[in-house]
Structures are given as C-alpha cells and as structure tokens.
C-alpha cells in the first residue's frame, strides 16, 4: 500500500489548510512556512478530490523549482503521483493534476489566458502586478463540483504590495468585490516551529536587517514603505548615551595606505555623478570627494559635454591631495559601455586615462548593501561615512522616496544619480549585516529573495 506521511502543520498552517474563503492570503512576514503550506494544501486537495486541477505559480521557473517542484518530488517521488518534466505537471492516479507555472513577463501572461483551474496557489503574490492576479483569477473556472479558490502568500514590499495590502490588510474593497470572499492569516517566522527548531538563528538574521525591512519581514508591518527611502541615513548627528551617531563627518586626509575608488553614474541630458572613496582596512567607506553636474551641450545651459567630465575627473585625480599618486579603481553603470550612439562613454573616459569596471546594477540587492552600510553597530559606527563637503550626496539621498508600485525600490523619477553611483560601488564590495555574529554557512536563507534558486527544503522530513 502506498502511504504518504505529511509532517504536522503549524497552527497557522492548519488555519490555511482549513480555510474555505475564495481568496485566502497567508503570511505577511518572512519564513512563516508559506511555501510549505501552499504546496501541502495542493497535495491534500489533489489526493482528496479526484480530477481537481491545481496550479502553483511563482514568478520565475528557478524559484518554482526550488520552492515547489524539487520539494514535492522529494515528498511524492513517482509512487504517489507521476511527474512529467516537459509539461511541469504532477498527475495523480485519481486524475488530479498539479501544474507548476511561472509568470515573469507579459509574454508569460499571454500563455495562461484561456487556461482553467479549480485551485490557484500564487506564492509570493506581492512580487506580481495586480493585472497578473486578475488574469489568474479569470482562469478560476471549470464545470465541476470542485471548490474554486485562490491561495496567496505574501510579504510586505515588492511591486504587488499595494493591491495585496488593500484587499487583505486594509480591506478597502471596491463595489464589485465581496468582503466575505477574502481572508488573511498572519504567520510570523516564530509560527514555523520546524524552522525554529532546525535553525533558530534565522530570527537573528531578520533582526539584523535595516529597520524598515526588519519591521516588514520580522514583524509583518505593511505601512513602513511610506516616505523617505533612506531614513537610515543620518545627515544631522544624533546623541545617544554620550555617543554621536552620524554618517556625515568633517573631512580629514585619509591614510596613504587606504585604497581609493571612483564610482560613476551617467545619463544623457541628465545629471551625472562621480564619487571618490577611501576604504579603510576594516572595509569602511569614506566618501571623500564628488563631482556632480548635468550632461548635454553648453548652449542648453550649464551642461557638461562628456569629454569635459573626464577631463575634469583626470585633473582632479592628478591634483587633489586625497587622490594624487594613488591607483584608483573605477566602477560604473554598465550602460556606459553601450556603443549604439557612437563612441561609448567608457571609451571616451579611456581617452583621458579614466577606466572603469562594470558595476553590478541589481537594484534591490544594491539598496540593501547601502542600508547595511548605513547601519550603526553597537558602538555607533556605520560602514559608510560621507565628508560634509559632498553636497550632492547630502542633498539628494534624504529626498528619495519609495516607489508607489514597487515599495522596496525607490521612485526613479527623482534625482537618484548619486544613489545609483553609490549603489554600484557598494555592490562591488558587498557586506553582510553584522557578519561576525552570524554563522557563515546556512542551509536555508530566508532573506534570499532575489537569488532564490536553492532548495529551501533540505530540512523537511518526508516519509513515504
Ligand atoms: N509544517 C512543517 N513541517 C516541516 N517543515 C516545515 C513545515 N513548515 C515549513 N517547513 C520548513 O521550514 C522551512 C521554511 O518554510 P517555507 O519555505 O515554507 O517558508 P516561507 O514562509 O515560504 O519562507 P520565505 O519567506 O523565505 O519564502 C522550509 O525548509 C520548510 O520545508
Ligand atoms: Mg516561500
């Protein structure tokens, strides 16, 4: 006889497994056993209701495989149900099907129009636009007796933050939405006893996050992505227990032995930003100098032709007391290598002896790096300082606000050129928060939202 033993759910997971609303959202924090609950619900329904069609959706195929396909293959093997890799489907002997689908682009959406399913499970729904949710909701049909439901999991943040918050947290329904259709189950990492027992240090990792993300991912707060993006940047020194906490400091001559760097962001007919940095042996950044202006032709006002930027950069590096005689490593926006408009910006720079390495322009990890560096340690020391002469940094960084559609990102219609340039530099020398307190090798990293392609489920015990 074939038996399948499923580990006991947590109390919150049990609430999801027994909820019969049309739209059930689960989560609101990280690590609360969301993905486990979704796929387990899928398996239970598939076994209990012959012929039911279930779709499990994630943004990318890599995440789908790591969070659902691989763990389910470990759980079900090919004895309980048969997996077809080409179709990305599990078929059960009773005719039930679990389909694994991803939706990364508009083109992917087109593929699912006209698809039918009885149960749709959208993992990390806050990573999707509302139109993706609506499109999948339209797939919820079938002439049969099976329930028609959508289960969603979510964390605050991401481009779907707004619609998930409206429907499940604020419950601000529109006329055509029935409030009785919606249910929200809040689960925190502490609710996931399996994870707490296996790796209690996850909480420490969440506690070490920049305060806004910590409030969102550990405490499940939904209203923190409002206002200033870098609220952790302190331009005005604050006093606490006889210590002054600040990122902005009086200039001093950095030691000759400290390495020097240059970061650069460029835009056509937009501001450009050059930052120079000294880095001490503890990998603390000091922004020692900057050059900020607007590109374009001089007859459009005070604008810098590209050649003039690098002529000035070269002169500064030869003459400035903090820089002269140093080898300076440059990092820049990868788009400066674009030669589609003629000679690339990088080649123009090279004519003046100014060289760059291609920066890593992943946005969210880049902002995280800046947040990590702004954090003060227990003695009040951050990992990044700014000389008070760097006026473009001090003026523009505090003005940036969250993007309405993607609250973990900033609103790019603002003056974000210094922020971009700093982000490329931070990504070239990344840090992890409070490195020394954390254990280096982790089997499961609940914070790995953006490079989430390792199986999360090495700890689960499945007995067949
Ligand atoms: N009831 C359970 N029994 C055994 N293991 C479980 C249970 N619930 C969750 N786990 C395990 O705990 C770990 C984290 O769970 P899961 O991946 O579902 O969390 P999550 O909320 O989706 O996390 P994230 O926010 O990072 O996406 C996984 O290894 C998962 O298999
Ligand atoms: Mg998950």
């Amino acid at each position: 006889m074939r038996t399948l033993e499923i580990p006991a759910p947590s109390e919150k997971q049990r609430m999801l497994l027994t909820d019969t609303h049309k739209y059930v959202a689960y989560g609101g924090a990280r690590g609360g056993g969301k993905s486990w609950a979704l796929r387990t619900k899928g398996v239970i329904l598939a076994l209990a209701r012959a012929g039911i069609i279930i779709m499990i959706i994630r943004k990318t195929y890599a995440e789908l495989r790591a969070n659902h396909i691989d763990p389910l293959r470990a759980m079900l093997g090919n004895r309980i149900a048969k997996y077809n890799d080409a179709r990305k489907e599990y078929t059960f002997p009773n005719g039930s099907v679990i389909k694994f689908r991803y939706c990364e682009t508009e083109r992917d959406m087109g593929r699912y129009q006209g698809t039918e399913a009885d149960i749709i499970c959208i993992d990390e729904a806050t990573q999707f636009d509302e139109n993706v949710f609506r499109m999948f909701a339209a797939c919820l049909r079938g002439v049969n007796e099976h329930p028609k439901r959508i289960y969603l999991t979510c964390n605050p943040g991401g481009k779907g933050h707004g619609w998930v918050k409206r429907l499940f947290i604020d419950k601000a329904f529109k006329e055509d939405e029935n409030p009785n259709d919606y249910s929200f189950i809040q689960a925190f990492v502490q609710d996931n006893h399996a994870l707490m027992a296996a790796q209690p240090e996850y909480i420490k990792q969440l506690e070490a996050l920049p305060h806004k993300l910590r409030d969102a991912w550990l405490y499940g707060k939904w209203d923190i992505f409002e206002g200033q993006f870098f609220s952790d940047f302190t331009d005005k020194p604050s006093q606490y227990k006889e210590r002054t906490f600040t990122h902005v400091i009086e200039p001093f001559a950095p030691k000759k032995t400290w390495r020097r760097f240059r970061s650069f962001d460029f835009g056509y007919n937009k501001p450009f930003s050059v930052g120079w940095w000294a880095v001490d042996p503890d990998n603390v950044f000091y922004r020692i100098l900057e050059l900020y202006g607007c590109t374009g032709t001089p007859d459009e006002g005070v604008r810098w032709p590209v050649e003039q930027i690098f002529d000035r950069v070269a002169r500064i590096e030869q003459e400035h007391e903090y820089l002269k005689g140093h080898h300076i490593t440059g990092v820049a926006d990868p788009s400066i290598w674009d030669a589609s408009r003629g000679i690339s910006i990088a080649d123009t720079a090279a004519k003046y002896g100014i060289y760059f390495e291609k920066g890593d322009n992943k946005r969210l990890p880049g902002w995280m790096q800046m947040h990590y560096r702004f954090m003060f340690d227990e003695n009040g020391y951050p990992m990044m300082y700014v000389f008070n002469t760097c006026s473009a940094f001090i003026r523009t960084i505090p003005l940036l606000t969250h993007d309405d559609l993607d609250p973990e990102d900033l609103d790019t219609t603002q003056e974000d050129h210094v922020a971009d340039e700093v982000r490329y530099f931070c990504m070239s020398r990344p840090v992890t928060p409070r490195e020394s307190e954390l254990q280096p090798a982790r089997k499961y990293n609940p914070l790995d939202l953006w490079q989430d392609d390792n199986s999360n489920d090495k700890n689960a015990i499945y007995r067949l």
Side-chain angles (χ1 to χ4, degrees):
M1 200 183 89
R2 289 175 294 189
T3 53
L4 173 68
E5 193 172 326
I6 296 174
S10 69
E11 195 193 318
K12 298 287 175 65
Q13 288 170 333
R14 192 181 299 280
M15 285 167 73
L16 175 120
L17 297 177
T18 53
D19 197 315
T20 55
H21 287 83
K22 185 169 180 192
Y23 303 107
V24 182
Y26 182 85
R30 297 300 309 274
K34 300 185 293 293
S35 302
W36 186 96
L38 270 196
R39 59 178 187 268
T40 303
K41 179 70 192 176
V43 170
I44 292 171
L45 280 171
L47 291 169
R49 293 186 152 266
I52 197 168
I53 297 177
I54 296 158
M55 257 204 290
I56 297 184
I57 293 146
R58 189 81 198 220
K59 185 157 181 155
T60 64
Y61 176 64
E63 291 166 325
L64 193 59
R65 211 193 60 222
N67 288 278
H68 296 289
I69 299 175
D70 288 351
L72 279 182
R73 292 189 79 170
M75 181 190 202
L76 303 172
N78 250 341
R79 294 194 311 134
I80 304 289
K82 294 264 179 276
Y83 184 66
N84 182 320
D85 197 29
R87 297 168 68 92
K88 312 275 177 270
E89 288 178 9
Y90 248 119
T91 308
F92 290 72
N94 63 4
S96 297
V97 183
I98 299 181
K99 303 179 177 194
F100 302 96
R101 299 290 180 261
Y102 62 91
C103 190
E104 198 170 1
T105 61
E106 293 263 324
R107 247 190 42 219
D108 297 331
M109 270 174 75
R111 281 197 273 130
Y112 304 129
Q113 268 151 22
T115 308
E116 289 187 0
D118 301 302
I119 301 288
I120 296 180
C121 304
I122 308 180
D123 199 9
E124 299 291 354
T126 34
Q127 292 179 357
F128 295 106
D129 282 332
E130 183 165 4
N131 60 351
V132 176
F133 168 62
R134 299 280 163 215
M135 186 270 297
F136 281 118
C139 299
L140 201 65
R141 53 172 191 249
V143 189
N144 57 43
E145 297 297 302
H146 299 309
K148 303 283 174 283
R149 269 180 230 147
I150 298 191
Y151 295 94
L152 310 99
T153 69
C154 49
N155 300 303
K159 60 159 81 145
H161 177 94
W163 66 265
V164 173
K165 180 168 180 276
R166 179 179 74 77
L167 288 171
F168 295 98
I169 311 298
D170 300 341
K171 300 187 185 301
F173 297 109
K174 296 181 181 164
E175 246 171 50
D176 58 345
E177 293 162 348
N178 178 356
N180 299 326
D181 282 345
Y182 298 82
S183 158
F184 178 67
I185 302 159
Q186 172 80 62
F188 300 100
V189 64
Q190 293 91 335
D191 292 312
N192 184 351
H193 302 301
L195 183 60
M196 287 295 89
Q199 279 154 294
E201 74 274 9
Y202 287 161
I203 294 222
K204 238 185 177 174
Q205 210 181 342
L206 288 168
E207 280 169 352
L209 284 169
H211 71 273
K212 281 198 180 184
L213 276 180
R214 182 184 59 222
D215 283 354
W217 288 358
L218 181 60
Y219 304 120
K221 294 191 182 160
W222 287 82
D223 52 2
I224 38 85
F225 294 109
E226 277 146 32
Q228 215 182 346
F229 190 79
F230 290 111
S231 53
D232 42 1
F233 170 62
T234 327
D235 50 352
K236 300 198 181 41
S238 67
Q239 212 70 31
Y240 181 68
K241 289 190 179 167
E242 290 162 32
R243 270 217 58 88
T244 307
F245 289 75
T246 187
H247 298 105
V248 179
I249 54 173
E250 288 287 333
F252 64 89
K255 285 196 177 152
K256 284 263 181 249
T257 50
W258 295 4
R259 289 187 64 189
R260 304 294 197 268
F261 296 86
R262 173 198 334 106
S263 48
F264 179 54
D265 182 60
F266 179 82
Y268 285 96
N269 293 321
K270 282 203 287 200
F272 66 87
S273 183
V274 188
W276 282 275
W277 305 85
V279 176
D280 76 12
D282 292 327
N283 192 19
V284 175
F285 291 177
Y286 297 81
R287 185 177 178 90
I288 53 178
L289 206 67
E290 61 182 25
L291 178 68
Y292 191 78
C294 207
T295 62
T297 45
D299 57 358
E300 289 169 317
V302 193
R303 287 184 177 241
W304 293 62
V306 179
E307 309 257 336
Q308 201 180 312
I309 299 173
F310 297 112
D311 181 52
R312 177 69 75 86
V313 167
R315 261 194 297 130
I316 290 174
E317 295 187 359
Q318 282 152 20
E319 293 168 10
H320 198 283
E321 55 166 328
Y322 298 162
L323 299 170
K324 67 182 174 196
H326 281 277
H327 172 77
I328 299 171
T329 307
V331 58
D333 179 354
S335 70
I336 72 163
W337 278 267
D338 173 18
S340 62
R341 303 180 197 212
I343 177 165
S344 73
I345 303 297
D347 283 339
T348 309
K351 285 203 283 182
Y352 292 84
I354 304 297
Y355 301 98
F356 294 100
E357 290 167 5
K358 282 188 187 171
D360 181 340
N361 62 355
K362 278 194 224 84
R363 299 182 62 83
L364 301 191
W367 301 140
M368 288 289 281
Q369 283 300 319
M370 288 179 66
H371 287 307
Y372 289 156
R373 286 194 173 267
F374 283 142
M375 280 167 76
F376 295 103
D377 69 9
E378 58 277 16
N379 298 313
Y381 298 117
M383 293 287 285
M384 169 154 57
Y385 287 102
V386 180
F387 282 9
N388 64 14
T389 44
C390 294
S391 53
F393 187 109
I394 294 166
R395 180 178 61 81
T396 63
I397 294 290
L399 294 180
L400 299 169
T401 57
H402 292 272
D403 184 278
D404 284 345
L405 294 175
D406 190 355
E408 279 169 85
D409 203 344
L410 55 76
D411 178 350
T412 55
T413 58
Q414 307 166 94
E415 210 178 334
D416 55 0
H417 315 283
V418 175
D420 283 343
E421 166 245 291
V422 177
R423 171 163 62 87
Y424 306 137
F425 182 49
C426 288
M427 284 297 275
S428 73
R429 308 180 69 74
V431 285
T432 47
R434 295 181 197 164
E435 248 166 347
S436 56
E437 282 184 30
L438 298 172
Q439 298 182 2
R442 260 169 236 112
K443 282 175 263 170
Y444 162 76
N445 181 356
L447 308 180
D448 202 359
L449 251 191
W450 302 290
Q451 286 134 10
D452 200 2
D453 50 7
N454 294 314
S455 172
N456 276 351
D457 293 84
K458 298 195 176 71
N459 309 311
I461 310 148
Y462 302 119
R463 286 180 291 264
L464 285 175

